[in-house]
């Protein structure tokens, strides 16, 4: 009788304690989720080491922010949509849709012929990426209680660890190759996603069978539209403000349109009530609202760190894309060890607040240390700081999502989980655009005329630095180093804001029930009232 009961639990929702899935069932679902997450993780690490080469190949170094920003815009806007649609339609169909969109964007990016085309096709990729991360976290929350979740988060961290090693090597290999199989090497940075994505589609379609209780809601398309109106102009001015002038007419227009979009979004969400992309009632929960504020601030500083470090290693230190990726392994190791270590302690004690407090303090200190690096700084010193920064991030990243999932009702699990990714992505989108703008502004301001290079320096293509005599290259490298130091200095103060905020977080005891079990309990509790 045990085997049919177990099979019934996997195929249909039930009630009470019997909704708990076995370890074998959870691991089977995890196989599909890990492949989907591998797509997003590999893409992120490959791009981090290959962006400079791609920008040089397409002659667009100063507009490279568009490639990242377009991806982050679409992934940010689509993330809450995936959360709401997965509550309505189920996690599986939305996860399959996310993988399909990501693959489509990968193929298109692989045939791009300009940085503007690449930015547009990366936007398609972002539409898929918005669901790959948030839905995987929501599905785990459905299956596993907060206390036990760290038992399985180690597998996700393993995926990030593998991608962090494989991504830079693969990205560096393709970015540094002239051609591969008759195709420009850098195009394989995107095309390599295709075989992985096909396998992910097959595995997810076959094995991702988690009980789903449909939420009878409309889709908040008006809210999504208002969110787009709010985000896009603000990100455009963040990217173009340096050239337009921050107080120019075009910049002011972007501010006004963006502000109007924010107001419209809040009004629409109030009108939509529980059917909103981000229901306003959730913001009355102190843990939810404060943790998402911290997610935003942390995302802003974190993405500034992630984008600037490969540029420092490649431009200032002269590392190849492959070398750049491998040199950042101490940060990856720090994230992996800290995440898994804190997860084990949390599962044993049920206490979690101490970890983001320590983590944000560590990251803040690491950012200020990064602000001291220069052209002559030994790599071993920089790598030590990377490990410290990684440890700080590892103590924060999953813990903040866990706090949100533990705080909200089970029926809001999809929306709540997507909100954590959403606010972190907004911070990342703003951070990437703003910090890259700061980087190139400070770099240009520090270039001596005629920069010792026979004329004005074209930052659209920095490959010329390798051909310059050391004496002529030195002023340009010093200027880049000054720009990167400024980015880290500003980022350090940003992370200090998050550190101050985390002290106000109220620690709610972790539940021993999974999202499925909590939903079943809520349904059972509501049944007598319905009968009466």
């Amino acid at each position: 009788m045990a085997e049919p009961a177990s099979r019934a639990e996997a195929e249909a929702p039930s009630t009470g304690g019997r909704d708990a899935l076995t370890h074998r069932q959870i691991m089977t679902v995890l196989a599909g989720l890990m492949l989907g997450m591998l797509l997003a993780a590999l893409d992120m690490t490959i791009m981090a080491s290959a962006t400079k080469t791609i920008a040089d190949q397409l002659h667009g170094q100063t507009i490279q922010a568009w490639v990242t920003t377009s991806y982050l815009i679409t992934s940010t806007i689509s993330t809450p949509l995936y959360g709401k649609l997965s509550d309505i339609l189920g996690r599986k169909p939305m996860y399959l849709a996310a993988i399909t969109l990501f693959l489509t964007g990968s193929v298109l990016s692989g045939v791009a012929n300009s940085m503007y085309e690449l930015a547009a096709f990366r936007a398609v990729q972002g539409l898929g990426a918005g669901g790959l991360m948030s839905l995987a976290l929501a599905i785990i929350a459905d299956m596993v209680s907060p206390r036990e979740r760290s038992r399985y988060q180690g597998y996700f961290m393993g995926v990030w660890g593998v991608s962090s090693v494989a991504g830079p090597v693969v990205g560096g290999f393709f970015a540094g190759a002239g051609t591969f199989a008759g195709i420009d090497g850098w195009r394989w940075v995107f095309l390599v996603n295709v075989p992985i994505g096909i396998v992910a589609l097959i595995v997810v379609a076959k094995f991702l069978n988690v009980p789903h209780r449909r939420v009878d809601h409309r889709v908040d398309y008006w809210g999504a539209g208002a969110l787009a109106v709010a985000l896009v102009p603000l990100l455009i001015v963040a990217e173009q403000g340096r050239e337009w002038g921050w107080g120019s007419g075009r910049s002011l227009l972007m501010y006004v349109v963006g502000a109007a979009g924010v107001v419209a979004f809040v009004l629409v969400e109030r009108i939509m009530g529980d059917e909103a992309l981000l229901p306003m009632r959730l913001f009355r929960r102190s843990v939810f609202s404060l943790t998402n504020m911290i997610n935003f601030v942390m995302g802003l500083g974190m993405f500034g760190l992630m984008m600037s470090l490969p540029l420092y290693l490649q431009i200032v230190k002269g590392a190849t894309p492959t070398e750049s990726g491998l040199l950042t392994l101490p940060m990856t190791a720090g994230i992996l060890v800290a995440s898994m270590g804190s997860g084990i302690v949390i599962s044993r004690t049920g206490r979690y607040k101490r970890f983001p407090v320590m983590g944000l303090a560590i990251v803040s200190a690491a950012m200020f240390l990064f602000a001291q690096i220069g052209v002559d700084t030994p790599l071993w010193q920089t790598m030590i700081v990377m490990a410290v920064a990684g440890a700080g991030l590892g103590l924060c990243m999953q813990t903040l999502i866990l706090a949100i999932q533990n705080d909200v009702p089970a029926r809001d699990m999809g929306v709540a989980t997507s909100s954590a990714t959403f606010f972190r992505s907004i911070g990342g989108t703003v951070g990437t655009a703003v910090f890259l703008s700061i980087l190139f502004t400070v770099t240009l301001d520090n270039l001596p005329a005629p920069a010792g290079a026979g004329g004005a320096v074209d930052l659209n293509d920095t490959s010329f630095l390798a051909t310059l005599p050391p004496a002529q290259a030195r002023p340009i490298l010093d200027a880049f180093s000054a720009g990167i130091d400024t980015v880290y200095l500003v980022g350090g103060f940003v992370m200090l804001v998050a550190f101050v905020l985390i002290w106000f977080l109220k620690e709610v005891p972790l539940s021993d029930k999974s999202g499925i079990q909590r939903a079943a309990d809520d349904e059972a509790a509501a049944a007598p009232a319905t009968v009466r």
Side-chain angles (χ1 to χ4, degrees), residues 170-334:
V170 173
F173 171 77
F174 286 134
T179 60
F180 184 79
I183 300 174
D184 291 340
W186 67 265
R187 298 185 186 276
W188 285 100
V189 167
F190 305 103
L191 298 179
V192 72
N193 292 327
V194 176
I196 300 173
I198 291 174
V199 174
L201 275 174
I202 294 171
V203 173
V204 170
K206 184 174 182 180
F207 294 112
L208 182 53
N209 298 304
V210 180
H212 170 63
R213 291 176 172 82
R214 180 184 176 91
V215 177
D216 190 17
H217 281 173
R218 295 174 295 168
V219 179
D220 184 14
Y221 293 114
W222 285 105
L227 185 61
V229 172
L231 283 180
V232 173
L234 294 178
L235 290 163
I236 290 175
V237 74
E239 165 61 22
Q240 297 296 327
R242 174 170 54 87
E243 295 183 11
W244 292 353
W246 299 107
S248 67
R250 281 185 289 183
S251 294
L252 292 175
L253 176 62
M254 294 297 102
Y255 301 146
V256 171
V257 174
V262 171
V263 173
F265 178 71
V266 173
L267 291 176
V268 169
E269 299 307 90
R270 288 184 177 277
I271 293 171
M272 293 297 293
D274 284 349
E275 296 178 325
L277 283 180
L278 290 174
M280 292 293 104
R281 59 179 169 77
L282 291 178
F283 289 92
R284 292 194 289 270
R285 309 180 73 94
S286 62
V287 172
F288 179 88
S289 56
L290 181 59
T291 304
N292 275 323
M293 185 184 302
I294 296 169
N295 270 323
F296 171 81
V297 176
M298 192 177 79
L300 197 157
M302 183 175 70
F303 275 77
L305 166 65
M306 298 295 190
M307 293 303 299
S308 298
L309 193 55
L311 292 177
Y312 168 78
L313 293 172
Q314 293 179 47
I315 295 176
V316 178
K317 304 303 286 187
T320 66
T322 302
E323 292 168 344
S324 169
L326 292 175
L327 286 170
T328 59
L329 286 179
M331 179 176 293
T332 301

Side-chain angles (χ1 to χ4, degrees), residues 81-439:
L81 266 175
Y82 278 111
K84 176 61 73 173
L85 289 173
S86 70
D87 284 339
I88 298 173
L89 304 174
R91 313 278 191 237
K92 180 174 181 176
M94 298 313 303
Y95 205 62
L96 291 173
I99 295 174
T100 302
L101 280 170
F102 190 87
L103 286 182
T104 302
S106 297
V107 173
L108 291 173
S109 296
V111 299
N113 292 310
S114 72
M115 285 295 280
Y116 289 108
E117 282 188 10
L118 182 59
F121 298 148
R122 286 282 287 170
V124 178
Q125 261 191 316
L127 288 174
L132 291 178
M133 299 300 299
S134 61
L135 290 183
L137 294 170
I139 292 166
I140 287 298
D142 285 341
M143 298 188 301
V144 184
S145 72
R147 282 290 293 265
E148 296 179 352
R149 208 161 295 158
S150 58
R151 179 183 175 189
Y152 300 95
Q153 282 178 345
Y155 296 101
F156 285 132
M157 293 298 102
V159 169
W160 283 101
V162 170
S163 67
S164 297
V165 175
V169 174
V170 173
F173 171 77
F174 286 134
T179 60
F180 184 79
I183 300 174
D184 291 340
W186 67 265
R187 298 185 186 276
W188 285 100
V189 167
F190 305 103
L191 298 179
V192 72
N193 292 327
V194 176
I196 300 173
I198 291 174
V199 174
L201 275 174
I202 294 171
V203 173
V204 170
K206 184 174 182 180
F207 294 112
L208 182 53
N209 298 304
V210 180
H212 170 63
R213 291 176 172 82
R214 180 184 176 91
V215 177
D216 190 17
H217 281 173
R218 295 174 295 168
V219 179
D220 184 14
Y221 293 114
W222 285 105
L227 185 61
V229 172
L231 283 180
V232 173
L234 294 178
L235 290 163
I236 290 175
V237 74
E239 165 61 22
Q240 297 296 327
R242 174 170 54 87
E243 295 183 11
W244 292 353
W246 299 107
S248 67
R250 281 185 289 183
S251 294
L252 292 175
L253 176 62
M254 294 297 102
Y255 301 146
V256 171
V257 174
V262 171
V263 173
F265 178 71
V266 173
L267 291 176
V268 169
E269 299 307 90
R270 288 184 177 277
I271 293 171
M272 293 297 293
D274 284 349
E275 296 178 325
L277 283 180
L278 290 174
M280 292 293 104
R281 59 179 169 77
L282 291 178
F283 289 92
R284 292 194 289 270
R285 309 180 73 94
S286 62
V287 172
F288 179 88
S289 56
L290 181 59
T291 304
N292 275 323
M293 185 184 302
I294 296 169
N295 270 323
F296 171 81
V297 176
M298 192 177 79
L300 197 157
M302 183 175 70
F303 275 77
L305 166 65
M306 298 295 190
M307 293 303 299
S308 298
L309 193 55
L311 292 177
Y312 168 78
L313 293 172
Q314 293 179 47
I315 295 176
V316 178
K317 304 303 286 187
T320 66
T322 302
E323 292 168 344
S324 169
L326 292 175
L327 286 170
T328 59
L329 286 179
M331 179 176 293
T332 301
I335 292 174
L336 184 62
V337 172
S339 295
M340 297 184 69
S342 61
I344 292 172
V345 175
I346 290 171
S347 67
R348 291 176 178 174
T349 65
R351 306 295 297 273
Y352 58 86
K353 180 177 177 178
R354 71 190 74 171
F355 296 108
V357 170
M358 292 188 296
L360 289 169
I362 292 171
V363 175
S364 299
M367 294 286 273
F368 289 123
L369 290 174
F370 272 129
Q372 308 305 313
I373 63 177
V375 178
D376 298 320
T377 303
L379 278 174
W380 66 267
Q381 293 182 9
T382 306
M383 293 173 75
I384 289 176
V385 182
M386 290 184 208
V388 173
L393 291 174
L395 293 174
C396 300
M397 293 172 67
Q398 295 298 323
T399 310
L400 294 175
I401 294 176
L402 179 66
I404 289 176
Q405 291 175 334
N406 182 65
D407 180 61
V408 301
R411 65 190 175 98
D412 295 316
M413 190 64 69
V415 172
T417 304
S418 67
S419 76
T421 308
F422 170 73
F423 282 103
R424 188 176 296 174
S425 295
I426 290 179
T429 305
V430 174
T432 299
V434 169
F435 283 128
L436 282 176
S437 294
I438 291 174
L439 170 61

